[in-house]
């Protein structure tokens, strides 16, 4: 057994378990039907499928050796991770809209916008996953292979370019969110003639959290995306594994950042596992702009 494959399988198992719990909580709780939780559910579903894909890839690699199965597994993984990254972008856009259009955010137009974003994200992800299956692969042309077999160099270049574009959009939106947060804090300071310590701490914490979110996303995916562009298939496979494994960790961290920190999900988890909820414990409903 290749120890890297084992680590990917273990990572996939952890990802699947974490995100399956999030999906179960959101489906179990009727209160979690707001656009924000629909986006979180989309992210958890994509990461759940990615985790299952890593497990299936390990099983089929050592149990059922078939080029067709390999293509299907790789296509499944591409679609799942693409849906995960796209869902992260949708969450970022939702957070920006909740601050930029705070007065009109809770409207049917917002719901329609979010559903359109999710439909587009999953549609594009499915198309990207089908490309290797429909013939864009290097099974019959080894010279065209990339560092991720059986994907071609042009295929991984397209995927990497898409990731860089999404990362830049998220970076721009988070910078705009930071500007809005700082502007709100300044307006509060003008109204109260001074900036209280609590407002300063809240603003600093919000900006720090945004930096952690974007930093985690970039640190997880950037090494693999860059290596897919500059790497050569003749390089040792350890380089591919060493950059791919951290990328999978993003799907492991996502539930912690976007789900388990949310108090509504914490309450639903309490009800789901304990079967009882103490009414005296208060929970504050969060908006997408709470980070």
């Amino acid at each position: 057994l290749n120890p890297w494959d084992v680590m990917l399988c273990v990572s996939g198992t952890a990802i699947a378990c974490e995100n399956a719990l999030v999906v179960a909580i959101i489906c179990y709780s009727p209160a979690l039907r707001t656009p924000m939780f629909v986006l979180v559910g989309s992210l958890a579903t994509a990461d759940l499928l990615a985790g299952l894909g890593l497990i299936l890839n390990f099983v089929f690699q050592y149990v059922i050796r078939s080029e067709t199965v390999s293509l299907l597994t790789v296509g499944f993984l591409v679609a799942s991770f693409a849906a995960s990254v796209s869902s992260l972008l949708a969450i970022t856009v939702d957070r920006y809209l909740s601050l930029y259009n705070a007065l009109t955010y809770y409207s049917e137009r917002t719901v329609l916008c979010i559903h359109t974003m999710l439909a587009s994200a999953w549609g594009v992800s499915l198309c990207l996953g089908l490309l290797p299956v429909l013939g864009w692969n290097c099974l019959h042309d080894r010279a065209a292979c990339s560092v991720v077999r059986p994907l071609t160099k042009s295929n991984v270049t397209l995927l990497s370019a898409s990731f860089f574009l999404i990362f830049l959009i998220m970076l721009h939106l988070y910078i705009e969110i930071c500007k809005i947060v700082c502007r709100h804090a300044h307006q509060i300071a003008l109204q109260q003639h001074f900036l209280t310590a609590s407002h300063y701490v809240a603003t600093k914490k919000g900006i720090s959290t945004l930096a952690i979110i974007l930093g985690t996303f970039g640190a997880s995916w950037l090494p693999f995306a860059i290596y897919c562009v500059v790497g050569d298939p003749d390089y040792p496979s350890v380089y591919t594994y060493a950059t791919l494994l951290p990328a999978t960790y993003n799907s492991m961290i996502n539930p912690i950042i976007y789900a388990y920190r949310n108090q509504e999900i914490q309450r639903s988890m309490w009800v789901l596992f304990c079967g009882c909820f103490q009414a005296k414990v208060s929970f504050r409903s969060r908006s997408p702009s709470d980070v």
Side-chain angles (χ1 to χ4, degrees):
L1 291 179
N2 186 335
W4 288 101
D5 289 330
V6 174
M7 285 190 287
L8 284 175
C9 183
V10 172
S11 177
T13 304
I15 291 170
C17 293
E18 278 185 304
N19 289 280
L21 179 58
V22 176
V23 173
I25 290 172
I26 293 178
C27 293
Y28 171 80
S29 305
L32 304 181
R33 295 292 184 269
T34 62
M36 177 181 64
F37 290 112
V38 171
L39 292 171
V40 173
S42 172
L43 176 62
T45 301
D47 288 332
L48 169 61
L49 294 176
L52 293 176
L54 290 173
I55 298 173
L56 292 176
N57 181 65
F58 177 82
V59 172
F60 291 141
Q61 186 173 355
Y62 290 98
V63 178
I64 305 175
R65 293 182 177 273
S66 169
E67 292 185 347
T68 302
V69 173
S70 176
L71 280 177
L72 291 174
T73 304
V74 170
F76 185 79
L77 284 171
V78 169
S80 300
F81 281 118
S84 176
V85 173
S86 300
S87 296
L88 287 174
L89 176 61
I91 290 176
T92 306
V93 173
D94 180 58
R95 284 180 167 176
Y96 173 75
L97 292 177
S98 69
L99 289 170
Y100 185 76
N101 296 322
L103 296 178
T104 60
Y105 175 77
Y106 295 98
S107 63
E108 293 183 359
R109 183 179 179 181
T110 301
V111 176
L112 177 61
C113 177
I114 288 176
H115 288 167
T116 302
M117 281 196 302
L118 287 181
S120 302
W122 281 91
V124 171
S125 301
L126 181 61
C127 291
L128 291 175
L130 286 175
L131 289 178
V133 181
L134 296 178
W136 203 4
N137 58 69
C138 62
L139 292 179
H140 304 294
D141 184 12
R142 298 293 179 180
C145 281
S146 66
V147 294
V148 183
R149 296 182 179 86
L151 300 182
T152 63
K153 295 178 181 177
S154 55
N155 194 342
V156 297
T157 301
L158 172 64
L159 295 175
S160 298
S162 301
F163 167 79
F164 291 135
L165 177 61
I166 290 177
F167 181 77
L168 290 177
I169 294 175
M170 290 179 63
L171 177 62
H172 173 72
L173 289 176
Y174 275 131
I175 291 175
E176 292 300 317
I177 290 174
C178 288
K179 291 180 180 178
I180 295 174
V181 171
C182 292
R183 187 164 62 246
H184 286 177
H186 180 67
Q187 291 172 350
I188 294 173
L190 291 178
Q191 293 175 358
Q192 299 182 352
H193 305 293
F194 63 93
L195 184 61
T196 63
S198 60
H199 288 146
Y200 173 78
V201 172
T203 303
K204 183 178 179 181
K205 180 180 178 182
I207 295 176
S208 299
T209 304
L210 291 176
I212 292 173
I213 291 173
L214 191 64
T216 301
F217 176 66
S220 299
W221 278 105
L222 277 176
F224 180 67
I226 294 174
Y227 181 68
C228 284
V229 176
V230 303
D232 189 273
D234 293 330
Y235 292 170
S237 60
V238 65
Y239 296 155
T240 302
Y241 283 112
T243 53
L244 176 59
L245 189 61
T248 65
Y249 292 159
N250 188 65
S251 295
M252 196 182 302
I253 298 173
N254 283 339
I256 300 174
I257 295 178
Y258 296 97
Y260 294 133
R261 292 173 62 249
N262 187 281
Q263 293 182 352
E264 292 294 332
I265 290 185
Q266 290 175 8
R267 177 173 61 181
S268 299
M269 190 184 307
W270 182 277
V271 174
L272 181 63
F273 285 106
C274 299
C276 58
F277 177 71
Q278 298 177 357
K280 64 180 181 181
V281 180
S282 62
F283 290 88
R284 180 175 63 87
S285 179
R286 290 191 169 194
S287 69
S289 58
D290 290 325
V291 293

